[in-house]
Amino acid sequence: MRIVLLGPPGAGKGTQARSIEKAYGIVQLSTGDMLRAAVAAGTEVGKQAKAIMERGDLVPDGIAVRVIGDRIEASDCKSGFILDGFPRTIPQAVSLGKLLEQRGTALDAVIELSVVDEQLVERGAGRFTCKNCGEGYHDRFKRPATPGVCDKCGATSFSRRADDNEATIRSRLANYHAQTSPLADFYRRQGKLFTVDGMGPIDEVWRQIDNVLCRFRASAASN
Ligand code: AMP
């Protein structure tokens, strides 16, 4: 399956993408993670992206498309992937369609997580991640069972993203509404959009996504 997870920053795309990865055995591709890795490694792409990401703006379409285009060539993407944070503009979506068409494939489904802005600011500003395994946590919604210890791998070092502060989150939200939300209509017209309510607890949102994907897989198998 080739899936896009669409939704504003802080909607829970990363968390849900990891659940899809585990349940359906397809790899999660996060352009945000790839760009942060490029910034940390000091590559040419990282140097171009650093200041833009710190402001909460979008990196140029050409960079994002190149990053994802290279990644989907890898062998672990053969049986499918979940795109988390890509595409974020109509030109990116058009490029993605062409990239997949050249490979004789297409997107199967786009799952939109719908969350209101005020909750997004609260969610985004409280996020932190295990430095060792990348498991995501939140000051209010998902604390480690033992404070300061990762539930998944037992590590004790965590990090917070430089762009997870209220001012930058508001700017990322403004960009989302201006540049990314038109993608919902773009994919609705293609009959690929499924919208789920992203406001509830993580498990409840996952149940809705799992339902959509189960139904999708059953209907694909019967066609
Ligand atoms: P994320 O981790 O998805 O919230 O992305 C963090 C930041 O990386 C964004 O605020 C953008 O600056 C940049 N970024 C990630 N994905 C894209 C994309 N598809 N297009 C442009 N910029 C992106």
Side-chain angles (χ1 to χ4, degrees), residues 7-223:
K13 297 188 296 297
T15 303
Q16 298 298 339
R18 278 189 290 277
S19 295
I20 301 175
E21 188 173 54
K22 248 185 262 161
Y24 290 84
I26 48 178
V27 67
Q28 171 198 13
L29 306 181
S30 154
T31 39
D33 285 349
M34 292 174 207
L35 289 167
R36 277 184 289 280
V39 171
T43 64
E44 206 39 57
V45 164
K47 281 181 198 151
Q48 289 178 54
K50 188 171 188 288
I52 300 173
M53 292 173 75
E54 280 170 4
R55 281 199 306 273
D57 289 336
L58 295 184
V59 306
D61 288 335
I63 293 185
V65 170
R66 206 169 341 124
V67 162
I68 213 74
D70 290 345
R71 183 64 184 84
I72 61 175
E73 291 292 342
S75 58
D76 61 347
C77 294
K78 284 225 163 63
S79 56
F81 46 74
I82 312 139
L83 296 177
D84 158 11
F86 184 93
R88 260 173 153 105
T89 64
I90 297 282
Q92 289 182 18
V94 171
S95 297
L96 174 65
K98 286 185 188 148
L99 278 175
L100 294 177
E101 201 183 322
Q102 282 159 10
R103 288 163 182 76
T105 60
L107 280 180
D108 292 310
V110 175
I111 299 181
E112 178 190 36
L113 298 180
S114 148
V115 183
V116 298
D117 281 11
E118 276 320 304
Q119 199 179 107
L120 292 167
V121 175
E122 193 184 18
R123 283 188 185 192
R127 295 199 292 197
F128 59 100
T129 306
C130 172
K131 268 191 178 168
N132 182 49
C133 71
E135 183 71 358
Y137 294 96
H138 192 280
D139 292 329
R140 283 192 51 202
F141 308 117
K142 189 187 165 199
R143 286 188 285 247
T146 306
V149 181
C150 176
D151 295 344
K152 203 169 154 199
C153 74
T156 53
S157 294
F158 297 86
S159 61
R160 286 179 194 260
R161 281 171 45 172
D163 58 354
D164 272 346
N165 58 73
E166 183 169 342
T168 311
I169 291 169
R170 289 201 185 275
S171 142
R172 284 155 63 203
L173 274 174
N175 285 330
Y176 180 81
H177 290 304
Q179 295 177 271
T180 310
S181 58
L183 289 176
D185 266 345
F186 179 87
Y187 286 122
R188 190 177 290 115
R189 281 197 295 271
Q190 296 181 11
K192 292 187 173 166
L193 187 79
F194 299 86
T195 300
V196 307
D197 178 2
M199 297 283 285
I202 291 170
D203 288 354
E204 175 48 36
V205 178
W206 165 241
R207 255 193 302 279
Q208 295 178 63
I209 293 177
D210 193 26
N211 247 325
V212 167
L213 294 179
C214 274
R215 272 189 285 131
F216 176 82
R217 206 160 55 173
S219 81
S222 68
N223 285 334

